[in-house]
Structure formats: structure tokens, C-alpha cells
Amino acid sequence: MKQDIRKTTPAQLKDWLTQQGEQGFRAKQVHEWLWKKSARSFEQMTNLSLPTRDLLNAHFDIRPLTVAEEQRSNDGTIKSSFRLFDGNLVEGVLIPALRNDEHGDRMTACVSSQVGCSLTCKFCATGYMDRKRNLDAAEIYDQVVAIDRQAKENYDAPLSNIVYMGMGEPLLNYKNVLESVDRITSPDGLGMSPKRITVSTAGIAKMIRQLGDDAVKFNLALSLHAANDQKRDQIMPINESNTLDVLGDALGYFYKKTGTRITFEYILFYNFNDTLQDAQELWKFTKRVPAKINIIEYNPIAEANFKNTDPQTLDKFAGFLENKGVTVNVRRSRGKDIDAACGQLAGKK
Ligand code: SF4
């Protein structure tokens, strides 16, 4: 089987090319084609000689990610099903800002980091699938490239933001996720600012500390959804081994090392975590580390019985936190009609 060329570093490729009697600087050209120009065949690398292209073709392949299906929501959201080289499917979403939206011309890509997920969050469709494998850095990068192309073709604007909030737990695919961020932010890749990237975790304390040690520059979001262990255990079993106290410590450590404010994602489930007592607990938890809160609208899934809270309860909940001086954004869900909203990605058609 041929080797995946995007798993070689420029230094490794340079060594290999030199051993084959080629000039070493060709490695830089090849990498530029692979990442910056997203070439998907050696034939496209027109500044290489034909024999060099043939040589590369004989030893390496470029594993493509292709768009298997695109679905468009009434609100402009586009959900894509991406086919990986081994036939597995993952999903990614383009979320354009609504006209008159507070975020103006924001174009956000939501990308997947794993095929399926090993965590079993009860409100999430992906949580009812098995985790098949991690995505490699190129597979994550390719989703961004494909969604960026959709943004330009459909809205005449490039991506402005990327969230790792699709299928999978990014911090359980740590190395590849960080490598994909490096590629996206590198001037040899897409050259995006890390401040435009948010990695969202269900809460893996050890890896949150590792992000601090690695002094990452991107944003971190915690899918919190309950600020009391007994409730959080019920909806997110990962909480049993990564309790709120342990997570709070890890987030404090991350903040100390990076100076980056945390985002807490909080879905208000009807009659579960939407009382003023819950808001009080959430407020207490946010005092542990500088943070803002995104309250997210819930999108019911067939596998579970949760319901979205009502607008009056939401207003009271958000108002309580705002009165305490907490920054709160209420996020309306997008792409619900095509199962592209948060927690709904599960390869459904
Ligand atoms: S919410 Fe995230 S971590 Fe939890 S099951 Fe879904 S994809 Fe996995």
C-alpha cells in the first residue's frame, strides 16, 4: 500500500527525495501544493517535472476527503457528509451569520474530530454511535477547506471562524487536533488566526491541563450543561471521572497558563437544569475561572426524551446570570430542519 504523503513532514520528504536523487527543495514545493493549494493529485503539481511527479505517484498517495452529500437549511446553514478514504462518513456544517445578526458577516465552520464518539452524552445523537476511529490532521483540515469553499461559492465570503464541535471529543484525539490547528493557522496552510478557532470539550481534565502546558492560542469551550455533579453525571457520564471540582481546577490551570477566557456551553433542558437554583450553581461555578456563557437552544433527537426549555424560563435564567455580571449569549440553533444543529450530527439523511 502506498504511503499517505500528508503524514510525512517536510524534513522526512526532503530526506526521501534526496535519497531518490531528487533535489531537496522540492519537498517544500510539494508541501505547498498539498496544504496551501490543497492539490489532490500529483498531476496538479505543475512546477515539478513529469518524472518527479511519477516518482511521487509510485510511492505515495493523497488521501482525499470528498463531499458525499450536501443538505441546505432554510436558514442558510449547509450540512455536509464527508466521505473519508476508507469509506467512513463524518459531518461538518457551514453556519453563515443571519442578516442583521449581532455577528455580522461571521462564517463559521463546525468540524468533526472523530468518526462517532466514545463518550455517551445522553442528549447527543453522536453519543449513540460507537467511536470507530480518530480523524487524522489532514482529514480535519480538509473539512475546513471544503467548508471554506462552500462559504465562498454560496456567500462570497471566506470562513471567519472554526469550531471543533462536530462529531467526536477533540481532546481524545489530542495530537491530530493540535496538528490540524497548526496547519489551519500556519502561513503555509490557511493562515487563520488561532483566536478564530474554538475547541469544545465535554471535559477531559487531564487534557485541558495539557492544553495549558502546550500554551495553545485557540479558544476553549466546555460543554457544561449542568453545574452540579449529580445532574451532570446523569447526562454526561464522563463527569463521573472528571467531576466539576476537578474540571474547575483544570480550567483554572489552563487560564493561568494561557490567559484565555473559557466559554461554557449550557443547554437549557426543560424541567432538568433550568431553574433559578441551577442558575445559581452555574454562577458559582463560573466564579472559578474567567468565563462567558453561551446558552444554547436544544434540538430534540429521536434517541432521547429531552425538551428545550420555554422562552420565559430562558429569559429568567439568563437574566439572573446577567444581573450577577456574567457575560451571557443566547444562541439560537441553526440548521434544525436538516439535523445540522448542535447535538444532531449522526449521519442521518
Ligand atoms: S456531545 Fe460531544 S462528547 Fe458528548 S457524545 Fe456528543 S460528540 Fe461525543
Side-chain angles (χ1 to χ4, degrees):
M1 194 166 161
K2 291 184 191 177
Q3 207 187 328
D4 178 1
I5 193 160
R6 287 194 290 173
K7 291 226 166 82
T8 63
T9 63
Q12 288 166 336
L13 190 59
K14 187 177 173 187
D15 285 350
W16 185 84
L17 282 165
T18 317
Q19 282 162 20
Q20 306 297 316
E22 294 280 336
Q23 289 158 306
F25 72 88
R26 298 276 178 220
K28 192 171 181 317
Q29 289 177 319
V30 173
H31 265 259
E32 197 170 288
W33 277 109
L34 290 172
W35 297 102
K36 202 169 187 167
K37 300 180 187 164
S38 286
R40 292 297 169 261
S41 77
F42 295 106
E43 289 73 49
Q44 288 173 269
M45 302 183 181
T46 45
N47 57 354
L48 304 183
S49 70
L50 206 51
T52 308
R53 283 185 256 165
D54 288 344
L55 178 71
L56 289 166
N57 208 8
H59 289 85
F60 295 103
D61 58 16
I62 304 171
R63 299 198 177 152
L65 170 142
T66 52
V67 179
E69 195 189 350
E70 255 181 39
Q71 285 176 276
R72 282 155 200 271
S73 159
N74 295 333
D75 66 17
T77 299
I78 301 176
K79 177 172 86 167
S80 301
S81 174
F82 296 116
R83 181 166 287 112
L84 309 175
F85 79 98
D86 59 0
N88 275 310
L89 296 170
V90 292
E91 292 180 340
V93 185
L94 168 65
I95 309 146
L98 294 171
R99 210 173 290 161
N100 304 326
D101 188 284
E102 57 178 308
H103 299 301
D105 51 7
R106 194 180 273 199
M107 283 281 152
T108 305
C110 174
V111 295
S112 294
S113 56
Q114 297 181 310
V115 181
C117 188
S118 58
L119 306 188
T120 50
C121 305
K122 303 294 180 220
F123 51 85
C124 169
T126 315
Y128 291 85
M129 303 165 72
D130 288 336
R131 188 203 77 105
K132 289 196 182 152
R133 70 171 176 85
N134 287 338
L135 299 193
D136 66 29
E139 289 169 329
I140 299 170
Y141 182 87
D142 282 357
Q143 291 174 66
V144 176
V145 171
I147 298 172
D148 184 47
R149 192 175 305 132
Q150 289 172 335
K152 288 171 182 156
E153 283 172 9
N154 291 279
Y155 299 103
D156 214 13
L159 283 181
S160 60
N161 295 73
I162 300 169
V163 294
Y164 285 66
M165 245 179 237
M167 299 165 107
E169 164 52 55
L171 298 191
L172 292 180
N173 183 15
Y174 190 88
K175 182 177 148 291
N176 293 336
V177 163
L178 260 64
E179 194 187 324
S180 69
V181 172
D182 280 349
R183 293 285 180 195
I184 292 164
T185 54
S186 161
D188 298 331
L190 298 178
M192 284 185 74
S193 161
K195 286 287 156 217
R196 299 287 188 155
I197 298 175
T198 300
V199 171
S200 176
T201 178
I204 316 288
K206 187 176 157 200
M207 303 321 289
I208 291 172
R209 286 177 174 271
Q210 186 65 49
L211 290 173
D213 287 336
D214 288 336
V216 297
K217 303 244 171 359
F218 52 77
N219 301 300
L220 178 64
L222 173 71
S223 295
L224 187 58
H225 310 317
N228 132 354
D229 279 318
Q230 186 248 331
K231 284 193 182 179
R232 200 164 187 265
D233 284 353
Q234 285 179 50
I235 54 172
M236 301 181 77
I238 187 66
N239 194 67
E240 289 164 19
S241 51
N242 291 259
T243 60
L244 288 165
D245 196 33
V246 170
L247 283 177
D249 282 350
L251 293 169
Y253 183 82
F254 172 86
Y255 181 76
K256 199 170 86 190
K257 293 279 189 170
T258 63
T260 304
R261 189 165 67 144
I262 314 293
T263 302
F264 292 131
E265 311 282 359
Y266 196 99
I267 301 172
L268 273 175
F269 296 110
Y270 172 73
N271 219 3
F272 177 74
N273 62 356
D274 58 353
T275 65
L276 287 182
Q277 166 76 25
D278 294 300
Q280 171 97 18
E281 286 168 351
L282 177 54
W283 170 60
K284 275 200 190 138
F285 189 70
T286 61
K287 287 202 292 185
R288 293 189 66 145
V289 61
K292 61 175 174 158
I293 300 174
N294 285 344
I295 295 181
I296 307 174
E297 195 183 352
Y298 184 59
N299 311 290
I301 54 169
E303 294 85 345
N305 258 336
F306 296 100
K307 277 201 291 187
N308 200 20
T309 200
D310 56 85
Q312 294 82 357
T313 308
L314 188 154
D315 285 347
K316 267 198 224 158
F317 194 96
F320 174 89
L321 293 164
E322 276 162 352
N323 282 338
K324 296 284 186 193
V326 181
T327 308
V328 181
N329 297 305
V330 177
R331 294 272 154 109
R332 305 278 165 214
S333 248
R334 305 284 305 279
K336 278 187 279 193
D337 52 332
I338 55 168
D339 286 335
C342 273
Q344 289 189 310
L345 300 185
K348 258 189 273 168
K349 288 185 187 162

mmCIF file of all heavy atoms in Angstrom, residues 117 119 121 124 126-127 166 168-169 202, ligand 1:
data_model
loop_
_atom_site.group_PDB
_atom_site.id
_atom_site.type_symbol
_atom_site.label_atom_id
_atom_site.label_comp_id
_atom_site.label_asym_id
_atom_site.label_seq_id
_atom_site.Cartn_x
_atom_site.Cartn_y
_atom_site.Cartn_z
ATOM 1 N N CYS A 117 -18.235 8.661 18.485
ATOM 2 C CA CYS A 117 -17.705 9.224 19.741
ATOM 3 C C CYS A 117 -17.776 8.153 20.820
ATOM 4 O O CYS A 117 -18.732 7.377 20.866
ATOM 5 C CB CYS A 117 -18.545 10.441 20.160
ATOM 6 S SG CYS A 117 -17.828 11.330 21.564
ATOM 7 N N LEU A 119 -17.727 8.930 24.073
ATOM 8 C CA LEU A 119 -18.463 9.453 25.224
ATOM 9 C C LEU A 119 -19.950 9.307 24.912
ATOM 10 O O LEU A 119 -20.343 9.313 23.747
ATOM 11 C CB LEU A 119 -18.087 10.912 25.484
ATOM 12 C CG LEU A 119 -16.585 11.156 25.631
ATOM 13 C CD1 LEU A 119 -16.315 12.580 26.085
ATOM 14 C CD2 LEU A 119 -15.960 10.173 26.606
ATOM 15 N N CYS A 121 -22.841 11.112 25.865
ATOM 16 C CA CYS A 121 -23.704 12.188 26.361
ATOM 17 C C CYS A 121 -25.138 11.883 25.926
ATOM 18 O O CYS A 121 -25.382 11.594 24.743
ATOM 19 C CB CYS A 121 -23.251 13.535 25.819
ATOM 20 S SG CYS A 121 -21.519 13.879 26.178
ATOM 21 N N CYS A 124 -27.073 13.789 22.924
ATOM 22 C CA CYS A 124 -26.367 13.997 21.663
ATOM 23 C C CYS A 124 -26.491 12.777 20.751
ATOM 24 O O CYS A 124 -26.199 11.644 21.167
ATOM 25 C CB CYS A 124 -24.892 14.273 21.981
ATOM 26 S SG CYS A 124 -23.836 14.239 20.532
ATOM 27 N N THR A 126 -24.641 11.842 18.275
ATOM 28 C CA THR A 126 -23.359 11.166 18.044
ATOM 29 C C THR A 126 -23.027 10.215 19.198
ATOM 30 O O THR A 126 -22.382 9.187 19.006
ATOM 31 C CB THR A 126 -22.214 12.192 17.884
ATOM 32 O OG1 THR A 126 -22.637 13.242 17.027
ATOM 33 C CG2 THR A 126 -20.969 11.548 17.319
ATOM 34 N N GLY A 127 -23.470 10.586 20.392
ATOM 35 C CA GLY A 127 -23.206 9.769 21.577
ATOM 36 C C GLY A 127 -23.865 8.395 21.512
ATOM 37 O O GLY A 127 -23.544 7.506 22.296
ATOM 38 N N GLY A 166 -18.217 19.280 16.090
ATOM 39 C CA GLY A 166 -18.969 18.280 15.339
ATOM 40 C C GLY A 166 -18.874 16.932 16.040
ATOM 41 O O GLY A 166 -18.889 16.849 17.268
ATOM 42 N N GLY A 168 -17.489 13.706 17.762
ATOM 43 C CA GLY A 168 -16.274 13.288 18.467
ATOM 44 C C GLY A 168 -15.845 14.236 19.568
ATOM 45 O O GLY A 168 -16.313 15.377 19.653
ATOM 46 N N GLU A 169 -14.986 13.729 20.438
ATOM 47 C CA GLU A 169 -14.412 14.521 21.536
ATOM 48 C C GLU A 169 -12.984 14.910 21.120
ATOM 49 O O GLU A 169 -12.074 14.062 21.094
ATOM 50 C CB GLU A 169 -14.406 13.676 22.822
ATOM 51 C CG GLU A 169 -13.527 14.201 23.935
ATOM 52 C CD GLU A 169 -13.752 15.673 24.303
ATOM 53 O OE1 GLU A 169 -14.883 16.056 24.600
ATOM 54 O OE2 GLU A 169 -12.752 16.438 24.273
ATOM 55 N N ALA A 202 -16.099 17.943 26.158
ATOM 56 C CA ALA A 202 -17.085 17.514 27.159
ATOM 57 C C ALA A 202 -16.457 17.543 28.548
ATOM 58 O O ALA A 202 -17.158 17.420 29.552
ATOM 59 C CB ALA A 202 -17.589 16.118 26.827
HETATM 60 S S1 SF4 B 1 -21.642 15.907 22.958
HETATM 61 FE FE1 SF4 B 1 -19.593 15.684 22.022
HETATM 62 S S2 SF4 B 1 -18.508 14.385 23.508
HETATM 63 FE FE2 SF4 B 1 -20.688 14.146 24.009
HETATM 64 S S3 SF4 B 1 -21.322 12.321 22.817
HETATM 65 FE FE3 SF4 B 1 -21.724 14.152 21.534
HETATM 66 S S4 SF4 B 1 -19.924 14.319 20.236
HETATM 67 FE FE4 SF4 B 1 -19.352 13.000 21.965
#
